Amino acid sequence: MTIPVILLKTASSGHTDPYTTHLTSNPLSLDVTYHPIHVPVLEHSFFTEPIFTVFDSFRKENGINDATSKFPYGGLIFTSQRAVEAFATAIAHISFIGESDPLGKESWVLQCLEHLAVPLYAVGPATALSLDKVRVKYLPACRVLGGEDAGTGEMLAGLILEDYNASHGQPIIEMASEKHSSGHKKPLIFLTGAKHRDIIPVTLRSASMEQRIEVEEAIVYASTESLSFSTDIAVTLEANAAAPFRWVVIFSPTGGETLLRALGWLDDESAKIHGPENSCWVGRKTFVASIGPTTRDYVKKKFGLEVDVCAGKPSPEGVRQGIEDFMQK
């Protein structure tokens, strides 16, 4: 038996998608295999100008060896692959220009990036993996922290407080726009989307005086629901209608209403899911998993939907484990 697993996300680019790899390896049994299907929900627009502004601190008069000391931030924070993509896009643009003009500003920025040694904090393994590829190519002196050990914003904020304060004992905090002397705790810069939770900045700014870390936020991308998603999900559900049962994995609140309408679960008047007496639940064979508690709580509050599974970790392993635990009940 083949079980379709419809993943409401874009497949990872540049390498084999980890969800596809994990779901197709080591079948559940000789009789059960998974068939992962990616259906993109979001369209993204990148804003690279804020990233260029960050790199303006690399000035020739400072010298390459001063790249870290003159850099206005003590580290960078990433909570999505889209932020990493925006960051990589900006550096690739600089690299393209720098290669054609070895004596120009862009070439100097690239040399400074090679010597920059600051932590790069990432939520979840997928973001950390994407970020590490950028680090290896452009920022070899930096280190990626978080990943598997920080699957949520709350977890990453705790990790940052511990790691960053261990390396920067001075309790003095100044904004990057202000002059600071050696030894002062520099702020971090949070590269994020137009819509994002503020749990990381709030947690870092509200810590004790000794632990507190200032955070500046830079909007580097915006996401909207794909214009083709309603058609794409309807076609995908129809193509897999004959399966004995199937899973849909939701990775963000965006697209929730479109999905529920395509499944026929949403009441047009109340914009909530149908009650248990509705015929849509008879012989139900579509089950829903969420990547984490934020998405789970959103669809419950907004639509009244109780997902069948909430991944213990926001990873391919977490999603698969949740599905298999449910199926074995």
Side-chain angles (χ1 to χ4, degrees), residues 6-11 37-42 228-229 231-234 236-237:
I6 302 170
L7 303 159
L8 301 188
K9 68 184 291 291
T10 302
I37 305 165
H38 288 268
V39 181
V41 178
L42 303 173
S228 66
F229 176 60
T231 299
D232 295 341
I233 189 59
T236 301
L237 291 171

Side-chain angles (χ1 to χ4, degrees), residues 51-68:
I51 302 171
F52 294 147
T53 300
V54 171
F55 295 155
D56 281 344
S57 62
F58 296 130
R59 303 181 186 279
K60 288 189 175 182
E61 58 267 26
N62 292 335
I64 290 178
N65 292 329
D66 293 328
T68 300

